[in-house]
Amino acid sequence: MDRFQAADVILQERQLAASAAARLCDLPNGPTAIGYGGARGGGKSHWLLAQLGADDCQKIPALKCLLLRKQAKSNVENFEDFRRRLFTRLPHEFSAFRGILTFKNGSRIVLGHYKTESEIDNFLGIEFDVIAVEEATTLTARKYQDISTCCRSSKPNWRPRIYSTTNPGGVGHAWYRTRFVLPYLEQRETETRFVPARVADNSFNNPEYRQVLENLTGWQKRAWLDGDWDIAAGQYFTTFRRDVHVVGSGPEGPIFDETRAVDWFCAMDYGFAHYTVVLLGCTDGDGNIFIVDEHAERLWLPARHAAAIKAMLGRHGLHPSMLKRFVAGADVFSRQSDGTTVAAQYAKHGINLRVANTDRINGWAEIMTRFGDVDAGIRPTLFVHERCGRLSETLPSLLRDPNRPEDLLKVDADEDGIGGDDAADALRYLVATKNRTITQRKLRGL
Ligand SMILES: Nc1ncnc2c1ncn2[C@@H]1O[C@H](COP(=O)(O)OP(=O)(O)O)[C@@H](O)[C@H]1O
Ligand SMILES: [Mg+2]
C-alpha cells in the first residue's frame, strides 16, 4: 500500500486483492502463479503493469520482469497509455525501440511482444524474476509450461513467479480453467491463486462499454460480462430454436413472404468429396436476413452444380445477375494443379463468385447475435425457411470446440452424408460478408 501510495497509483478493490495475492508469492510456501481472469474491462491489464512497476520493481532493486503480450499495433500504443498514466510519479526511462522500461533502482520491465507462439522462445533464453502474461488463454498449455521453466531468480530475497491476466475463451481456455479457476472454486489452491474479474469491479468503464457487453449473447456474454468459465462444453447455438428461427409458408408457425425481399445474395461452401452447399438469402426492409433456399450435393462437378443453382434461383424468379453478391470460401479461388480455379469454372457457367469473409470467430459471433435470445427478450434477425432441411438440421447439432470455445467444432459428414458443418460454413459466409457497395458508399461518406 505504501508503495502504491508513493507512486500515486490508486487501485480498486479487486485489483488490490490481486496485489495481495501477488505478495503471497514472497512467502516460502506461498503460491508461484497468480491468475487474474474473467470479464473484459475488469481492470486486469491496468493492474498487471501497476503490480510490476509500482510494487515489485520498487520493492526489489534490479528486478527483471518480462511482460509478454500478443503483438498488435494497438498493443504498443496501449502500453504507452498505461505507462504514462501509471508511472507519472516513478522516474524511469523507456526505450520504445528496445521495449525496455528501466526504473531508477535498476529494475526493468522488458516488453515481450510476439506474433506467434514460437516467437515467445526468443525471450526465454534469459532469466526473469517475474514473468507477466497478458491474455494467457491465447497460449497453449505447452507454451505456458515453457514459460514457467524460464522463470527463475538468483536473488536471495525474491521468489520467482508468474502473473497472468485473461478472459475466458481461446485455445488455452481448458488448461487455464483447470490450473487456476477450478482450484479456486473448489478452495484447494496451493501453488496458484486466482482472482475473478467482473466488469462491475472497474468503475472506470464507461456505461457504453458495459452496454456493449450487455448486448452480447450466448457464451460471449457469460464469459466477457460475467467472467463465467463454464462455457467450454456442449451445443454451440444454444439460442437457436426451431419454433422461432425456422419459418414456413404454411399456416403453422411464423411465415415468410418472399415479395418483401429487398436484396438477394448467395453463399457457397465448396466441396467435392464433401458437400457443396449453396444458400440463397435475402434481406427485408427491417434488416432481417432470411435463408430462403439451399442446394446441397456432393461428388458433382461445377457444371452440374451451376445448373442446379440456376434452377434454384429460377424457383424464386431470380437469375445470377440479380444477386447483390455470390460469395464462396477462399479455397474456390486457389489455383489447382491444372492452373485453373473452381471459381473460373463457375464463371464459365455464368456464376461469378467473390471471396467471402472467412473469419470464423467473428462469423459465428454474427450468426449468434442475429439469432437473438428469445428467452431474454432479444429479437432474432436471422431466419431459415423450412425447405432448407440440411441447414436447419445442422444448426442445433453443432458443438463448441472445447479447446477454442468461441469456435465451432469442425465435423465432416459421415459416409451416408449425415452431419457435417458445410451448411453452417455457407451460412457464415452469407451473413458475415457485407455488400461492397455499402462499404464504398460509407467510404465516400454518403
Ligand atoms: N485503478 C484504476 N485507475 C484508473 N484507471 C483504471 C484503473 N483500473 C482500470 N482502469 C482503466 O479502465 C480501463 C479498462 O481496464 P483494463 O485494465 O484495460 O481492463 P482489462 O484488461 O481487464 O480488460 C483502462 O482504461 C484502465 O486504464
Ligand atoms: Mg486487458
Side-chain angles (χ1 to χ4, degrees):
M1 288 304 291
D2 290 341
R3 279 186 291 273
F4 285 132
Q5 220 155 31
D8 213 4
V9 167
I10 302 169
L11 292 185
Q12 303 172 87
E13 203 176 319
R14 190 78 64 162
Q15 294 170 320
L16 284 173
S19 286
R23 284 276 65 82
L24 290 178
C25 297
D26 299 339
L27 304 174
N29 56 354
T32 50
I34 305 299
Y36 189 5
R40 292 199 163 196
K44 305 184 296 294
S45 300
H46 190 99
W47 168 76
L48 190 58
L49 195 59
Q51 179 56 38
L52 290 179
D55 189 7
D56 295 340
C57 281
Q58 307 310 315
K59 181 177 156 75
I60 307 287
L63 196 72
K64 249 162 77 182
C65 312
L66 173 66
L67 176 54
L68 284 172
R69 326 178 80 217
K70 200 145 189 164
Q71 174 76 299
K73 194 160 165 267
S74 61
N75 277 351
V76 183
E77 290 155 8
N78 182 264
F79 179 79
E80 275 293 274
D81 289 349
F82 278 128
R83 180 181 71 87
R84 292 218 176 92
R85 221 171 315 158
L86 279 164
F87 302 149
T88 41
R89 288 281 204 89
L90 295 172
H92 64 274
E93 278 170 26
F94 178 58
S95 157
F97 175 68
R98 291 167 60 219
I100 299 179
L101 189 153
T102 313
F103 293 102
K104 255 183 154 164
N105 64 359
S107 289
R108 280 182 291 169
I109 299 175
V110 178
L111 279 189
H113 280 131
Y114 61 93
K115 281 200 206 69
T116 59
E117 232 187 39
S118 58
E119 289 180 11
I120 290 179
D121 297 342
N122 300 337
F123 302 104
L124 296 182
I126 333 154
E127 181 176 287
F128 287 101
D129 301 308
V130 187
I131 299 186
V133 185
E134 277 266 47
E135 300 296 342
T137 56
T138 60
L139 300 177
T140 57
R142 179 65 210 274
K143 193 50 63 178
Y144 184 81
Q145 187 64 42
D146 292 350
I147 293 170
S148 313
T149 57
C150 291
C151 182
R152 47 178 184 255
S153 182
S154 49
K155 293 187 177 55
N157 54 350
W158 185 255
R159 282 179 85 228
R161 79 251 344 241
I162 301 185
Y163 303 143
S164 60
T165 66
T166 198
N167 308 117
V171 285
H173 178 91
W175 73 258
Y176 198 89
R177 180 170 175 273
T178 306
R179 187 173 163 82
F180 287 97
V181 187
L182 293 182
Y184 162 77
L185 291 174
E186 294 162 7
Q187 301 186 4
R188 52 173 176 82
E189 291 178 304
T190 52
E191 74 267 37
T192 61
R193 289 294 182 281
F194 179 70
V195 180
R198 310 248 184 302
V199 219
D201 297 340
N202 183 5
S203 55
F204 295 90
N205 281 326
N206 50 28
E208 294 78 23
Y209 185 70
R210 202 193 155 102
Q211 197 54 50
V212 168
L213 296 176
E214 294 272 3
N215 289 345
L216 294 169
T217 57
W219 78 267
Q220 288 184 318
K221 181 169 184 172
R222 278 160 54 205
W224 294 347
L225 177 68
D226 308 325
D228 182 351
W229 287 83
D230 291 327
I231 49 167
Q235 186 186 12
Y236 193 85
F237 293 114
T238 47
T239 50
F240 177 83
R241 298 219 334 228
R242 246 200 119 72
D243 57 332
V244 173
H245 297 99
V246 179
V247 299
S249 32
E252 292 149 43
I255 54 163
F256 170 62
D257 174 8
E258 267 183 50
T259 59
R260 290 181 50 222
V262 178
D263 284 332
W264 290 94
F265 31 81
C266 279
M268 172 192 291
D269 184 51
Y270 171 79
F272 182 75
H274 291 174
Y275 275 85
T276 285
V277 177
V278 176
L279 298 177
L280 169 66
C282 69
T283 48
D284 67 5
D286 302 323
N288 299 306
I289 294 182
F290 292 87
I291 309 304
V292 174
D293 213 337
E294 75 177 7
H295 162 75
E297 291 294 342
R298 56 178 181 166
L299 308 174
W300 283 16
L301 292 171
R304 191 167 172 199
H305 281 303
I309 292 164
K310 284 186 214 162
M312 171 178 77
L313 293 175
R315 291 200 288 276
H316 305 277
L318 298 166
H319 179 267
S321 65
M322 295 157 78
L323 299 173
K324 267 264 138 86
R325 58 179 186 272
F326 199 141
V327 296
D331 50 343
V332 163
F333 302 89
S334 58
R335 278 193 199 287
Q336 298 175 315
S337 49
D338 61 358
T340 65
T341 65
V342 172
Q345 297 180 51
Y346 275 95
K348 257 188 241 156
H349 299 284
I351 292 180
N352 293 307
L353 298 169
R354 75 176 178 86
V355 66
N357 178 352
T358 54
D359 176 342
R360 292 177 65 87
I361 309 295
N362 288 321
W364 302 132
E366 173 125 21
I367 294 175
M368 196 96 86
T369 305
R370 283 196 167 271
F371 279 151
D373 187 346
V374 277
D375 293 333
I378 303 170
R379 206 177 60 83
T381 59
L382 175 61
F383 303 90
V384 178
H385 195 278
E386 63 186 3
R387 71 169 75 83
C388 308
R390 192 166 186 90
L391 179 62
S392 59
E393 276 156 35
T394 300
L395 288 170
S397 73
L398 295 165
L399 298 178
R400 189 171 277 138
D401 183 341
N403 293 317
R404 213 172 129 81
E406 63 271 73
D407 202 352
L408 211 150
L409 195 63
K410 286 186 197 170
V411 275
D412 292 334
D414 65 18
E415 283 161 29
D416 300 319
I418 297 172
D421 50 14
D422 326 75
D425 282 334
L427 178 65
R428 178 162 58 81
Y429 297 157
L430 190 132
V431 167
T433 314
K434 306 289 181 254
N435 266 340
R436 201 184 270 159
T437 46
I438 290 178
T439 332
Q440 279 167 356
R441 245 182 254 154
K442 263 195 200 142
L443 283 175
R444 280 189 264 121
L446 295 172

